Amino acid sequence: AQSVTQLDSQVPVFEEAPVELRCNYSSSVSVYLFWYVQYPNQGLQLLLKYLSGSTLVKGINGFEAEFNKSQTSFHLRKPSVHISDTAEYFCAVSRNTGNQFYFGTGTSLTVIP
Amino acid sequence: DAMVIQNPRYQVTQFGKPVTLSCSQTLNHNVMYWYQQKSSQAPKLLFHYYDKDFNNEADTPDNFQSRRPNTSFCFLDIRSPGLGDAAMYLCATSRDGSTSWTDTQYFGPGTRLTVL
């Protein structure tokens, strides 16, 4: 079985400060990793995903994430956040066989002016 | 704009009274998904359609059914809602799906179900 752990349920950060949202997964097989964002009253949308290749993945809105196989992590980072980044962020994992797609419980990012 | 639409956004039903949630898409995607998201929990995949092929997650209760009459529409039927079924229900689509879960999923805004 797989699980996804988002260690922080809430992250407040001041505008223009850097932020890191943490995600760890458990799996004994190769996985695919995703970060989705949900703005208030909107559906989830993809920020970025890791399928293979370079472990540093760049996404939309200046976000990036690094796949670390030895630490089974896929942390999301942004060097300078904006008020508009206030949202719920979900890490997710899937694998290349079977009907399995798992989300984490989400991290609520609040950017403080 | 191409999108995923869920109606209604808020649904109230009574304990044991069947309810149907709707999802439509203008993306012409092959795959449609239904997720259940309870308060402060992760969205949980209930089932998905790859074209007309229905795929049920092993732990999805029998109380939950789905229909996909055509490419654009997918319905979630809850035959006898219990209090524990109160949640946000998310519909999503992806272009292909094939046998690996690498595709980007496109989500609707969700329907919040209240069971009285």
Side-chain angles (χ1 to χ4, degrees):
Chain A
Q2 295 179 148
S3 70
V4 183
T5 303
Q6 292 185 244
L7 297 167
D8 305 300
S9 60
Q10 296 185 9
V11 173
V13 63
F14 286 104
E15 192 174 15
E16 298 183 5
V19 69
E20 178 180 82
L21 306 183
R22 296 180 292 170
C23 174
N24 287 86
Y25 66 93
S26 61
S27 176
S28 58
V29 297
S30 296
V31 296
Y32 306 115
L33 294 155
F34 307 77
W35 276 99
Y36 281 83
V37 61
Q38 186 175 29
Y39 298 106
N41 296 314
Q42 296 185 28
L44 281 77
Q45 65 181 87
L46 183 72
L47 271 179
L48 48 81
K49 59 183 175 181
Y50 171 78
L51 304 181
S52 65
S54 173
T55 57
L56 182 63
V57 181
K58 293 189 183 296
I60 62 172
N61 300 339
F63 284 92
E64 64 181 32
E66 185 154 20
F67 171 58
N68 188 319
K69 188 174 182 179
S70 63
Q71 297 186 6
T72 60
S73 68
F74 190 56
H75 300 332
L76 181 71
R77 300 186 185 99
K78 186 170 182 177
S80 176
V81 295
H82 300 280
I83 297 291
S84 59
D85 292 324
T86 294
E88 190 85 14
Y89 291 78
F90 292 91
C91 183
V93 61
S94 69
R95 65 180 194 179
N96 59 2
T97 57
N99 301 337
Q100 296 183 9
F101 192 88
Y102 299 94
F103 278 101
T105 53
T107 297
S108 178
L109 174 65
T110 301
V111 180
I112 305 164
Chain B
D1 287 341
M3 55 198 306
V4 180
I5 303 162
Q6 290 189 247
N7 286 309
R9 294 291 305 274
Y10 301 90
Q11 176 73 58
V12 179
T13 191
Q14 292 179 334
F15 183 93
K17 184 175 181 180
V19 65
T20 295
L21 308 183
S22 301
C23 178
S24 63
Q25 54 131 339
T26 60
L27 298 161
N28 202 34
H29 283 172
N30 277 335
V31 192
M32 295 188 76
Y33 311 79
W34 279 105
Y35 290 85
Q36 178 192 63
Q37 184 181 18
K38 296 186 178 180
S39 181
S40 301
Q41 296 185 23
K44 180 181 177 300
L45 182 64
L46 295 173
F47 26 61
H48 73 282
Y49 276 93
Y50 179 65
D51 196 11
K52 296 180 180 180
D53 181 24
F54 177 71
N55 297 271
N56 198 34
E57 293 299 299
D59 56 355
T60 298
D62 292 341
N63 196 28
F64 290 85
Q65 304 287 321
S66 186
R67 296 170 284 135
R68 189 178 185 186
N70 54 52
T71 300
S72 300
F73 286 87
C74 195
F75 300 99
L76 170 62
D77 300 308
I78 308 176
R79 293 192 296 187
S80 181
L83 298 179
D85 296 327
M88 177 74 85
Y89 290 88
L90 305 173
C91 175
T93 71
S94 67
R95 183 178 304 166
D96 182 15
S98 57
T99 58
S100 68
W101 291 67
T102 59
D103 284 350
T104 298
Q105 294 184 40
Y106 296 81
F107 285 81
T111 294
R112 184 167 295 282
L113 178 68
T114 300
V115 181
L116 302 177

